[in-house]
Amino acid sequence: MKAAVIYDQEDLRIEEVPTPTAEPGKVILEGGFNGICGSDLHFYYEPEETAAPTGWKLHEPAELTGAQWPQIFGHEFSGTVTAVGEGVSKVKVGDDVAVFPYHFCGRCEACLSGRPNLCERMAFEGIQGRSGGMAEVKIVDEDMCFVLPEGISLELGALVEPMAVAFHGVMQSKPQDAKCALVLGGGPIGVGAFFALRSLGIEHIIVSEPSADRRETLARIGVEHLIDPVSQSVPEAVREINGGVGSDVVIDCAGAPVAFQGAVDALKMGGRLVVIAGYAKPVTFNPGTLGGSKSISNSMTYTPEDFQHVLDGMAAGNYTTEGGWISKIGLDDVESAIHQLRTGSGMKILVDVSAS
Ligand SMILES: [Zn+2]
Ligand SMILES: [Zn+2]
């Protein structure tokens, strides 16, 4: 079968690899889609030390999977079950599934306290796993398969993972009573944050995004309040929209040092800023501006429960691939798509891995 295999920095090869077959407890998936995400760009372009901020050693076997690079790339994926191994009961042949892509140990302090998203031994399929999404055929653990609800496409299935990243961050901001929410950065995670916030019925959802192209796309998806942070003061614009009051919550999906102080200033008293984005560079900001009991926290990945919440939200119609924020390519075009995303053009690119 054909797969996109990452060997090293800027060394991604489309090549023939052995096709996996069913084994006890494992599921074989064919076709479906794989999303290219910001962390894939880090892995592709950056040296190992900075690409994996959690200290993963990509060229040494991961403790939980034994896998190391070269690695079939891609951790945001869906597929159709074409075979199941002995003992598999959660899915059956013909099911369309989204793959929960990371392994966790179940015995570290984080896992034992119900936060596998902080597991110190975490290992992702598509980063340091046996399988990866950019392949015509995948082999995954039964437990990693989440059956797509009736009517949910394989495209949406590949989006569950990044939407779960956004959902986890939004829920960490405790948005339940919020009247106003500001999202920094209208890329795919920002879009996911918007969908999650909208499903909670928040009155004013504002997205700050410097790219005019992206703002147009966001308007088509249904974002009512769009700010250009280059020409507008974000804190002022937020207060104008929200009747003179700052935002209850801010979800940072941008990772732009220049925008950070404005995000803090856009909060109301007691407001909560959750940082989902990665920051390559340090930020200059004055902790004194947190006065008024504002808080900042970081959100990392998601739990299996978040994954299910997003699937339920998809079934309820809270997510869409419409509006032009999704584009699709074939396996042969993965590398050029990575180059394109680096220039900041485009939104979410899904790789169609159906056998050609
Ligand atoms: Zn991702
Ligand atoms: Zn653990």
Side-chain angles (χ1 to χ4, degrees), residues 35-40 75-76 124 127 161-162 165 189 302 348:
I36 302 177
C37 102
S39 24
D40 292 328
H75 59 273
E76 304 178 355
F124 275 78
I127 299 172
E161 200 267 0
V165 169
I189 300 297
Y302 45 83
K348 192 68 183 178

Side-chain angles (χ1 to χ4, degrees), residues 7 66 69 94 125 179 188 219 238 256 349 353:
Y7 279 74
W69 285 21
E125 293 299 316
K179 187 170 164 255
V238 166
I349 297 178
V353 296

